[in-house]
Amino acid sequence: MVDIATRVWNHKWKIDPIVRSLIDTDFYKLLMCQSVFRNRPDTQVTFSLINRTKSVPLAKLIDEGELREQLDHVRSLSLTRGESTWLRGNTFYGKRQMFRPDFMEWFENLRLPDYHLERVGDQYQLTFEGSWPEVMLWEIPALSVLMELRSRAVLDQMKKFELQVLYARAMTKLWEKIENLRDIDNLRIADFGTRRRHSYLWQDWAVQAMGEGLGEKFVGTSNCLIAKNRDLEAIGTNAHELPMVYAALAESDEELAQAPYQVLADWHEEHDGNLRIILPDTYGTNGFLDRAPKWLESWTGIRIDSGDPAAGAETAIDWWTSRGEDPTKKLVIFSDGLDVDKIRQLQQQFEGRVLTSFGWGTLLTNDFRGLVPGDTLAPFSLVCKAVSANGQSTVKLSDNPNKAMGPADQIDRYKRVFDVGAQTKQDVVV
Amino acid sequence: MVDIATRVWNHKWKIDPIVRSLIDTDFYKLLMCQSVFRNRPDTQVTFSLINRTKSVPLAKLIDEGELREQLDHVRSLSLTRGESTWLRGNTFYGKRQMFRPDFMEWFENLRLPDYHLERVGDQYQLTFEGSWPEVMLWEIPALSVLMELRSRAVLDQMKKFELQVLYARAMTKLWEKIENLRDIDNLRIADFGTRRRHSYLWQDWAVQAMGEGLGEKFVGTSNCLIAKNRDLEAIGTNAHELPMVYAALAESDEELAQAPYQVLADWHEEHDGNLRIILPDTYGTNGFLDRAPKWLESWTGIRIDSGDPAAGAETAIDWWTSRGEDPTKKLVIFSDGLDVDKIRQLQQQFEGRVLTSFGWGTLLTNDFRGLVPGDTLAPFSLVCKAVSANGQSTVKLSDNPNKAMGPADQIDRYKRVFDVGAQTKQDVVV
């Protein structure tokens, strides 16, 4: 039986919306948003979309009108009652609420601010300007929309059984990865793939497959909507955005040098346990740890998001040891460019020496490499970053010069202030 | 939206019936049935299920009660108005009707006769006794039911995403075959896989995928129900059953020697064009062709169903040439143990020398080899054959001693009467 009502309902939509909920976003965006809302609510910030993979001509693939319709749809969204209830129910180890009533009230009344879209050559210039807590929530939906519209542009050319076989192949590929991961003892892995997913439905499938295939080794997803719908734990802490904006707001080199610690001091006050994770690489991991204040030693763990991950974990272990902490009680979260072999290798290298956890991103939710002729569905490196704060350009160095961002003179200044020495270049796959 | 009515409807069924239509069968069974109905309607025949793959313990895998429910369901079926209309509409090249009014009237009133089922060790003994035109229609549904119940026994142990990935793998595997076949010039291929299909839904998917993937190279299916539902041509002519029963009815060695030609003489009267296909191997191809009457020379083609297929086609070409016929106007249909490599190889060898066509069976509709641990979904060699007629055992020799059937003394008698010399054994894969 065809369900006539379903079919008619589907055809009533003028578009097939990609982002259908304000919580179809990463959990850490909301945690950071609350921190920003409390500590720096009036900062004026510009976020900008940057396609690092110039060979993917987004403006040729994606119709501007369709892109505007999708972005306009995101602006029409507001928090639903059930979403609000779910957010309010999130607690720290069952004790107090993660999201405070003043933040929730503000969020319940939020609509995302306007965007600025312009075609420049074969790429789109897409920017968001406004108060930091509002504008920052554009990052994930903007990425999801662009990623999925690019997928649709390719899928539009395919016939019915070709499509079915495409997804059959993608499922087979992902399931083989999951079967492979199943053998790794003491694995703890989460989905971190919202921002560069092939599509929402595919991420939702991938998360469910991880759940069935890995059992307790699969610890949750960074995507709040999927966590809510699939009864999973939402995972995440904080990101480069915080130190980047705090740093841009610094009024002297001394303030700049302190900015990354100020971020974590604000965080320390508000959060506990698994949310106390250091992301040390924004301006070079080594210098950050060398100069770290004593109170950071007691934090739960470190997330390694650039550079050679094994080297980063060794650095973290050495740092804890040098500060008299027991590394076997500490957590290292790997979240950069992961796939099965690297996960297995890192787990083998660090098992027993430190607690490990993996945030698996693009190659979980968008590994369509090799599935269509010309590889036109392969993931690509799209980011949406805070590029300025109160008129000052932001800078990111990271532990990989290929991931550095910002004006050249500011990069030089930051390297000097943060005493960043020689760095090894690493290819950015996705 | 869940369609509540659909869900409730599905749960009203006491069983999930495997065979839901009397025309979920091979087209040639109906063509042969009509011939039998006209020429030998009163013959008492016994059909028997034979599992050649003893390593598949059907009676351990399949619950006897479930098997009985499925067989009883088949007995409850009768021709629907639409099925009858579709059969009546089948014509010879648009001229006269393939199925005559008297046959259709009989068929419209038919219910399949009773069955006899007994467990013997780890296998089932399943037999059908009665008048030939009725009993013969059990063959395909009996095979389909057993094959699919075996699939279900394995699938019952699998979880939701495992199931989805299983079918994803099967689709990927089949689609790769189809992409491979797409390059073969002048290919003409049909689905002959009803009898050993993994399941009805899988065969239906495979047929549709062949249609989209191969375009005009895919010429149809032997399955009447799928042909009707998917708007395809139903394909098929005649099978070993006819000479086997005619031979068993022979009252002397002289009559026995003539029996295979008598079958085709009856067929010649009734049919035309693509339905005039010789199946020469029942009692050895070489002898059959050597002694063939002159009127057989004008027939459209030959189907090769046992022995080395290339050798069989060469024999056919030599025979036509020796009888003054032009082989390039004749059709060779390959239908035994085909898969992509063999199809490609045969097409290359015979292209331009003879018209070719392929009836792809088990490895189209049931190639689940290698998809589950222990290979418990691999196809196996199940047949349902006429084992006696009016109390006399039937005999089949074929061009492969591994496919021979019948009592040893009768096999020796048939070998003598049909002057069958040394034969080469070929493995029977499926």
Side-chain angles (χ1 to χ4, degrees):
Chain A
M1 281 188 261
V2 173
D3 180 354
I4 304 173
T6 298
R7 181 161 165 167
V8 172
W9 170 253
N10 285 339
H11 283 266
K12 280 176 68 169
W13 292 78
K14 286 195 185 59
I15 58 167
D16 178 7
I18 290 170
V19 174
R20 299 179 180 209
S21 159
L22 278 189
I23 68 164
D24 180 8
T25 193
D26 278 336
F27 192 54
Y28 76 177
K29 286 303 287 196
L30 301 185
L31 290 170
M32 290 192 290
C33 185
Q34 172 170 249
S35 182
V36 168
F37 172 78
R38 287 171 49 85
N39 297 299
R40 309 277 172 128
D42 300 324
T43 315
Q44 292 299 299
V45 164
T46 302
F47 268 72
S48 178
L49 193 88
I50 300 148
N51 179 8
R52 295 171 181 157
T53 312
K54 300 298 172 207
S55 58
V56 175
L58 288 176
K60 278 171 84 173
L61 292 167
I62 298 169
D63 177 72
E64 188 176 326
E66 280 181 49
L67 174 53
R68 286 183 184 277
E69 282 175 336
Q70 291 290 344
L71 296 171
D72 291 343
H73 183 79
V74 175
R75 290 198 63 208
S76 77
L77 297 171
S78 64
L79 211 58
T80 69
R81 180 186 301 265
E83 290 163 355
S84 174
T85 303
W86 183 83
L87 287 174
R88 286 177 185 271
N90 269 276
T91 56
F92 292 100
Y93 308 99
K95 287 179 207 153
R96 67 177 173 78
Q97 292 185 321
M98 254 180 222
F99 297 103
R100 300 174 188 219
D102 58 338
F103 172 72
M104 285 308 304
E105 198 179 318
W106 169 85
F107 194 19
E108 281 162 358
N109 289 298
L110 178 75
R111 296 283 194 290
L112 289 192
D114 208 355
Y115 57 88
H116 178 81
L117 176 66
E118 208 176 317
R119 182 176 174 154
V120 179
D122 288 342
Q123 300 295 336
Y124 284 116
Q125 199 167 68
L126 177 59
T127 53
F128 309 93
E129 286 181 49
S131 80
W132 190 8
E134 295 185 357
V135 162
M136 68 187 291
L137 294 181
W138 258 118
E139 176 183 353
I140 306 299
L143 292 171
S144 305
V145 162
L146 264 300
M147 293 303 295
E148 189 161 344
L149 282 179
R150 186 275 204 139
S151 301
R152 289 186 185 177
V154 177
L155 301 172
D156 275 352
Q157 309 303 316
M158 295 174 72
K159 290 188 285 182
K160 185 173 170 191
F161 281 78
E162 274 181 322
L163 281 173
Q164 204 175 6
V165 171
L166 169 69
Y167 285 104
R169 284 178 171 156
M171 285 176 184
T172 301
K173 190 174 185 184
L174 178 53
W175 192 256
E176 272 158 20
K177 292 188 188 195
I178 291 171
E179 285 183 325
N180 215 318
L181 290 173
R182 197 184 280 164
D183 303 333
I184 303 178
D185 288 334
N186 301 315
L187 179 68
R188 290 172 52 82
I189 189 165
D191 158 40
F192 274 25
T194 300
R195 67 189 53 220
R196 291 203 202 106
R197 67 192 183 197
H198 168 79
S199 70
Y200 172 76
L201 291 176
W202 179 249
Q203 183 185 14
D204 192 39
W205 190 88
V207 166
Q208 292 176 77
M210 290 278 279
E212 184 183 294
L214 294 181
E216 300 211 327
K217 290 175 178 171
F218 178 61
V219 296
T221 171
S222 64
N223 186 295
C224 301
L225 182 63
I226 295 175
K228 171 180 170 287
N229 290 345
R230 302 297 172 197
D231 207 6
L232 293 166
E233 187 172 344
I235 307 268
T237 59
N238 57 67
H240 301 104
E241 170 181 355
L242 294 178
M244 284 168 71
V245 173
Y246 274 55
L249 298 176
E251 291 181 352
S252 66
D253 285 358
E254 290 66 38
E255 267 188 50
L256 175 58
Q258 282 309 306
Y261 305 111
Q262 187 54 49
V263 166
L264 299 184
D266 288 348
W267 197 263
H268 190 82
E269 246 187 89
E270 298 169 48
H271 298 110
D272 215 345
N274 276 344
L275 295 185
R276 283 195 185 157
I277 300 293
I278 303 166
L279 179 66
D281 69 328
T282 317
Y283 304 117
T285 295
N286 289 331
F288 177 90
L289 292 178
D290 284 348
R291 292 184 293 273
K294 189 153 179 54
W295 52 267
L296 263 180
E297 295 162 7
S298 67
W299 275 38
T300 307
I302 284 184
R303 180 158 74 93
I304 315 275
D305 199 46
S306 63
D308 173 40
E314 295 290 0
T315 301
I317 290 171
D318 289 346
W319 179 67
W320 280 313
T321 307
S322 74
R323 298 287 186 110
E325 297 283 324
D326 178 1
T328 65
K329 303 279 193 318
K330 297 293 190 180
L331 178 65
V332 167
I333 301 174
F334 297 101
S335 63
D336 182 35
L338 296 175
D339 209 356
V340 173
D341 288 346
K342 200 182 277 184
I343 293 168
R344 178 183 297 276
Q345 189 188 316
L346 289 168
Q347 177 68 10
Q348 276 169 358
Q349 185 170 343
F350 293 101
E351 161 117 57
R353 299 176 56 205
V354 71
L355 305 172
T356 55
S357 182
F358 296 87
W360 195 12
T362 311
L363 296 180
L364 165 61
T365 59
N366 199 356
D367 193 0
F368 280 62
R369 292 176 301 177
L371 299 185
V372 291
D375 229 1
T376 49
L377 281 177
F380 61 106
S381 190
L382 192 69
V383 296
C384 183
K385 292 285 182 192
V387 292
S388 74
N390 288 353
Q392 300 297 313
S393 291
T394 65
V395 170
K396 179 183 173 189
L397 300 177
S398 97
D399 289 331
N400 178 2
N402 284 340
K403 281 187 160 184
M405 282 179 43
D409 61 330
Q410 287 297 318
I411 290 183
D412 288 344
R413 176 182 165 228
Y414 277 62
K415 280 190 171 173
R416 178 175 49 74
V417 168
F418 290 103
D419 196 19
V420 173
Q423 292 180 308
T424 314
K425 288 190 181 188
Q426 305 258 337
D427 284 345
V428 178
V429 182
V430 280
Chain B
M1 280 188 260
V2 173
D3 181 353
I4 304 173
T6 299
R7 182 161 165 167
V8 172
W9 170 253
N10 285 339
H11 283 266
K12 280 175 67 168
W13 293 78
K14 285 196 185 56
I15 58 167
D16 179 7
I18 291 170
V19 174
R20 299 179 180 209
S21 159
L22 278 188
I23 68 164
D24 180 9
T25 192
D26 279 335
F27 192 54
Y28 75 2
K29 285 304 288 197
L30 301 185
L31 290 170
M32 289 193 292
C33 186
Q34 173 171 247
S35 182
V36 168
F37 172 79
R38 287 169 50 84
N39 297 300
R40 310 277 172 125
D42 300 325
T43 315
Q44 292 299 297
V45 164
T46 302
F47 268 72
S48 178
L49 193 87
I50 300 148
N51 179 10
R52 295 171 181 159
T53 312
K54 298 299 172 208
S55 58
V56 175
L58 287 177
K60 276 170 85 172
L61 292 167
I62 298 169
D63 177 74
E64 186 175 327
E66 280 181 48
L67 174 54
R68 285 184 185 277
E69 282 175 335
Q70 290 290 344
L71 296 170
D72 291 343
H73 183 79
V74 175
R75 291 197 63 208
S76 77
L77 297 171
S78 65
L79 212 58
T80 70
R81 180 186 300 265
E83 290 162 356
S84 174
T85 303
W86 182 83
L87 287 174
R88 286 177 185 270
N90 269 277
T91 56
F92 292 100
Y93 309 100
K95 285 178 207 150
R96 67 176 173 77
Q97 291 185 322
M98 254 179 221
F99 297 103
R100 301 173 188 220
D102 58 339
F103 172 71
M104 285 307 304
E105 198 178 320
W106 169 84
F107 194 18
E108 282 161 359
N109 289 299
L110 178 74
R111 296 284 193 290
L112 289 192
D114 207 354
Y115 58 89
H116 178 81
L117 174 67
E118 208 175 317
R119 183 177 173 152
V120 180
D122 288 341
Q123 300 295 337
Y124 284 117
Q125 198 167 68
L126 177 59
T127 52
F128 309 94
E129 286 181 48
S131 80
W132 190 8
E134 295 185 356
V135 161
M136 68 186 292
L137 294 181
W138 258 118
E139 177 183 354
I140 306 297
L143 292 171
S144 305
V145 162
L146 265 300
M147 293 302 295
E148 189 161 344
L149 282 179
R150 186 275 202 141
S151 301
R152 288 185 185 179
V154 177
L155 301 173
D156 275 351
Q157 309 303 315
M158 296 174 71
K159 290 188 286 182
K160 185 172 170 193
F161 281 78
E162 276 182 320
L163 281 172
Q164 204 175 6
V165 171
L166 169 70
Y167 285 103
R169 284 178 171 154
M171 284 177 184
T172 301
K173 190 173 186 184
L174 178 52
W175 191 256
E176 271 157 21
K177 293 187 187 194
I178 291 172
E179 285 182 325
N180 215 320
L181 289 173
R182 197 183 279 163
D183 303 333
I184 303 177
D185 290 334
N186 302 313
L187 178 68
R188 289 171 53 81
I189 189 164
D191 157 40
F192 274 25
T194 299
R195 68 188 53 220
R196 290 202 205 109
R197 66 191 183 198
H198 168 79
S199 72
Y200 172 75
L201 290 175
W202 179 249
Q203 182 184 17
D204 192 38
W205 190 89
V207 166
Q208 292 175 78
M210 290 278 280
E212 183 183 294
L214 295 181
E216 301 210 327
K217 290 174 178 171
F218 178 60
V219 296
T221 171
S222 64
N223 186 294
C224 301
L225 183 62
I226 296 176
K228 170 179 170 290
N229 290 345
R230 302 297 171 194
D231 207 7
L232 293 165
E233 188 171 343
I235 308 266
T237 60
N238 57 67
H240 302 104
E241 170 181 355
L242 295 177
M244 283 167 73
V245 174
Y246 274 54
L249 298 176
E251 292 181 351
S252 65
D253 285 358
E254 291 66 36
E255 265 188 50
L256 175 58
Q258 281 309 304
Y261 306 112
Q262 187 54 49
V263 167
L264 299 183
D266 288 348
W267 196 264
H268 191 81
E269 246 189 89
E270 298 169 49
H271 299 108
D272 214 346
N274 277 345
L275 295 185
R276 282 194 184 158
I277 301 292
I278 303 166
L279 179 66
D281 68 327
T282 316
Y283 304 117
T285 295
N286 290 331
F288 177 90
L289 292 178
D290 284 348
R291 294 183 293 272
K294 190 157 177 51
W295 52 266
L296 262 181
E297 296 162 9
S298 67
W299 274 38
T300 306
I302 284 183
R303 180 157 74 93
I304 315 276
D305 200 46
S306 64
D308 172 39
E314 295 290 359
T315 301
I317 290 171
D318 290 348
W319 177 67
W320 280 312
T321 307
S322 74
R323 298 288 186 107
E325 296 285 324
D326 178 0
T328 66
K329 303 277 194 317
K330 296 292 190 182
L331 178 64
V332 168
I333 301 175
F334 297 101
S335 63
D336 182 35
L338 295 176
D339 208 356
V340 173
D341 288 346
K342 199 181 275 185
I343 292 168
R344 178 184 297 277
Q345 186 189 319
L346 289 168
Q347 178 67 10
Q348 276 168 358
Q349 184 170 347
F350 293 100
E351 160 117 57
R353 298 176 56 205
V354 70
L355 304 173
T356 56
S357 183
F358 296 87
W360 196 12
T362 311
L363 296 180
L364 165 62
T365 59
N366 199 356
D367 193 0
F368 279 62
R369 293 175 299 178
L371 299 185
V372 290
D375 229 0
T376 49
L377 281 177
F380 61 105
S381 192
L382 192 70
V383 295
C384 183
K385 293 284 183 193
V387 291
S388 74
N390 288 352
Q392 299 298 312
S393 291
T394 65
V395 170
K396 179 183 173 188
L397 301 177
S398 97
D399 289 330
N400 178 3
N402 284 341
K403 281 187 160 184
M405 282 178 42
D409 61 330
Q410 287 297 318
I411 289 183
D412 289 343
R413 175 183 166 227
Y414 277 61
K415 279 189 171 175
R416 176 175 50 72
V417 168
F418 291 104
D419 197 19
V420 173
Q423 291 180 310
T424 314
K425 286 191 182 186
Q426 306 258 335
D427 283 345
V428 178
V429 183
V430 280

